[in-house]
Amino acid sequence: MKYKVDENGFYGNFGGAYIPEMLYPNIDELKRNYLEIINSQNFRKDFEKLLSEYVGRPTPLYFAQRLSKKYNTKIYLKREDLCHTGAHKINNTIGQILLAKNLNKKRIIAETGAGQHGVATATVCALMGIDCVIYMGEVDIKRQAPNVARMKMLGAQVREAKSGSKTLKDATNEAMRDWINNPIDTHYIIGSVVGPHPYPDMVTRLQSVISKEVKTQLLEKEGRDYPDYLVACVGGGSNAAGLYYHYLNNEKVKIIAVEAAGKGIDSGESAATIKLGKIGIMHGSKTLLMQNDDGQIIEPYSISAGLDYPGIGPLHSHLYETERAKFVSVNDSEAMDWGLALSQIEGIIPAIETAHAFSILDTMAFKKDDILVFNCSGRGDKDLETYIKYFKL
Ligand SMILES: *Cc1c(COP(=O)(O)O)cnc(C)c1O
């Protein structure tokens, strides 16, 4: 497959495993075992049972009638916002906690920025009765108090990362340090399709349940198992990778990825990694990164904490370079307006991350018979405070 990872962990020019020597044993153990485990019948059985009975899958593929009418095209929403904990992230954490059990790990660590991945990780650790430590930047702990409280309620220990800008990148560094010091009993659950090989491929496969379901659901509703367009927002890229996965080699399906332009591409305050990024190495992977001429990472900005990441998964850099996917960047105000619009047109309050994706309806033209599938990656509850302030509700 043209868009699959090769045995060294590369998607074309991107990916790999650029890690300190101290991490070799951990990464090597994962690399040797992940495919066999996640393809095993036992794993599939446990994974599918939990996705169905605990997460609430399959999530609906909902035909958005009023939105379709307004834009004179056929729009479906893949309702990942209806997953337990409110977003797609739990598909990955359920998979990785089962993998950790298979590898006899007794302890879980994770990084989190906005706290969504931290909550999804703390949730599955509670479910399995496994110790959980979440690393989070000091600044983010202050900004995301409700999610910190959730993680604590779920029994996780939240540790403050006090270095650098005290945000996601620094929390990731702390988590990697912890892993080096605890190589035998600990599994590190990374929250998106980023990090050293095999994480990008592993997380993509776990999230690919999204496109697997879309195929079945579209066949039922439209008599063909593929759409004309797939649309998703991209932070690290996991909900997008999950939506695209089973369609990557079907060139009839056009792929659109939407990244956050913050206050505007040229404002100096954005998270538009593809538009602004240059090739570099961060968190163990070669990919496009927002960096200055000296290779220093530039602090990203977006009103949505989940898209506020200076890198992007190597699969997406490859999809961009090969022009398999079209990348669009959308700024804060466009995304916020769509958060309100989707609420009032369809009765669905989306996460601000998710809202970014819908902006393409204003800038691209579609035919009446085109079938579009948008990934509704998460619900807006967590963003209520931001919506309230922004719209003076
Ligand atoms: C975390 C998050 C994202 C961004 O992460 P990806 O790995 O790019 O999917 C998007 N939407 C929601 C609702 C999130 O919580």
Side-chain angles (χ1 to χ4, degrees):
M1 240 171 98
K2 212 161 134 192
Y3 304 104
K4 268 225 174 119
V5 79
D6 70 19
E7 61 197 47
N8 297 317
F10 279 88
Y11 300 88
N13 296 318
F14 306 101
Y18 298 84
I19 48 172
E21 202 169 325
M22 309 272 285
L23 267 183
Y24 279 10
N26 309 39
I27 293 290
D28 194 53
E29 182 186 29
L30 261 191
K31 204 168 71 182
R32 278 185 286 110
N33 293 294
Y34 83 107
L35 280 179
E36 192 179 318
I37 292 174
I38 68 178
N39 289 326
S40 73
Q41 232 166 31
N42 266 343
F43 180 94
R44 301 304 320 170
K45 202 175 79 216
D46 294 346
F47 187 48
E48 278 157 29
K49 188 170 155 75
L50 283 174
L51 288 184
S52 146
E53 294 174 11
Y54 189 72
V55 175
R57 305 201 72 91
T59 57
L61 182 70
Y62 163 70
F63 178 65
Q65 198 164 352
R66 296 225 303 141
L67 196 60
S68 297
K69 197 161 176 209
K70 184 162 179 196
Y71 287 89
N72 200 26
T73 189
K74 285 183 173 172
I75 299 171
Y76 284 92
L77 309 183
K78 182 60 173 161
R79 298 291 310 276
E80 293 302 296
D81 58 314
L82 296 177
C83 289
H84 179 42
T85 70
H88 66 288
K89 286 203 171 71
I90 198 159
N91 303 326
N92 170 43
T93 59
I94 291 268
Q96 286 203 48
I97 199 84
L98 290 173
L99 183 100
K101 279 185 71 173
N102 265 280
L103 292 171
N104 278 319
K105 303 296 177 181
K106 308 284 181 243
R107 178 174 175 267
I108 294 293
I109 56 172
E111 84 295 339
T112 197
Q116 294 303 107
H117 174 56
V119 169
T121 301
T123 299
V124 298
C125 288
L127 176 69
M128 297 294 176
I130 295 182
D131 282 349
C132 178
V133 174
I134 305 288
Y135 288 92
M136 192 168 184
E138 193 182 0
V139 170
D140 289 334
I141 288 180
K142 292 208 179 82
R143 284 196 292 204
Q144 309 288 338
N147 275 340
V148 176
R150 282 186 190 103
M151 288 182 257
K152 288 182 177 167
M153 267 195 90
L154 292 160
Q157 191 192 336
V158 181
R159 287 195 194 156
E160 225 170 56
K162 293 172 180 243
S163 61
S165 56
K166 305 177 177 65
T167 58
L168 177 59
K169 158 173 76 61
D170 314 289
T172 307
N173 291 337
E174 293 284 330
M176 293 224 174
R177 212 162 296 148
D178 181 313
W179 208 24
I180 289 171
N181 291 327
N182 300 282
I184 308 291
D185 69 332
T186 298
H187 174 67
Y188 177 16
I189 300 188
I190 292 183
S192 189
V193 290
V194 299
H197 178 65
Y199 279 99
D201 184 50
M202 182 166 76
V203 177
T204 298
R205 285 168 187 266
L206 296 173
Q207 290 290 0
S208 73
V209 63
I210 300 172
S211 49
K212 189 170 164 226
E213 288 175 7
V214 171
K215 284 186 85 165
T216 311
Q217 291 168 321
L218 264 187
L219 186 62
E220 224 165 72
K221 290 168 199 290
E222 291 286 345
R224 61 161 151 117
D225 72 353
Y226 64 94
D228 297 289
Y229 293 88
L230 291 169
V231 193
C233 65
V234 177
S238 68
N239 86 88
L243 180 73
Y244 306 158
Y245 187 75
H246 289 284
Y247 295 111
L248 286 170
N249 285 323
N250 182 348
E251 303 277 343
K252 280 183 278 203
V253 180
K254 298 178 198 74
I255 292 177
I256 302 171
V258 183
E259 55 177 14
K263 294 182 178 167
I265 286 283
D266 301 317
S267 67
E269 289 180 77
S270 94
T273 309
I274 288 282
K275 289 280 149 67
L276 300 173
K278 288 184 296 232
I279 196 161
I281 291 169
M282 185 178 68
H283 299 146
S285 172
K286 188 189 273 186
T287 189
L288 293 171
L289 299 171
M290 289 174 40
Q291 51 189 319
N292 66 19
D293 291 338
D294 299 328
Q296 288 289 107
I297 297 301
I298 296 170
E299 278 306 313
Y301 163 81
S302 163
I303 197 165
S304 62
L307 302 183
D308 195 347
Y309 187 66
I312 189 167
L315 166 65
H316 296 288
S317 294
H318 182 55
L319 294 178
Y320 173 69
E321 194 172 77
T322 56
E323 298 183 17
R324 175 67 185 96
K326 176 183 166 73
F327 281 78
V328 177
S329 48
V330 164
N331 65 29
D332 286 356
S333 65
E334 295 167 301
M336 292 303 281
D337 287 346
W338 263 102
L340 197 62
L342 194 70
S343 303
Q344 299 186 358
I345 299 172
E346 291 293 344
I348 294 169
I349 301 176
I352 302 172
E353 291 86 353
T354 308
H356 281 74
F358 292 91
S359 296
I360 64 135
L361 289 170
D362 297 319
T363 51
M364 291 176 65
F366 301 98
K367 296 202 243 7
K368 192 168 186 307
D369 291 333
D370 280 343
I371 297 172
L372 282 65
V373 175
F374 283 82
N375 208 13
C376 225
S377 58
R379 67 178 86 127
D381 306 30
K382 70 180 178 63
D383 296 318
L384 216 55
E385 190 86 351
T386 311
Y387 281 135
I388 289 170
K389 271 199 203 130
Y390 190 89
F391 292 114
K392 305 195 168 51
L393 301 170

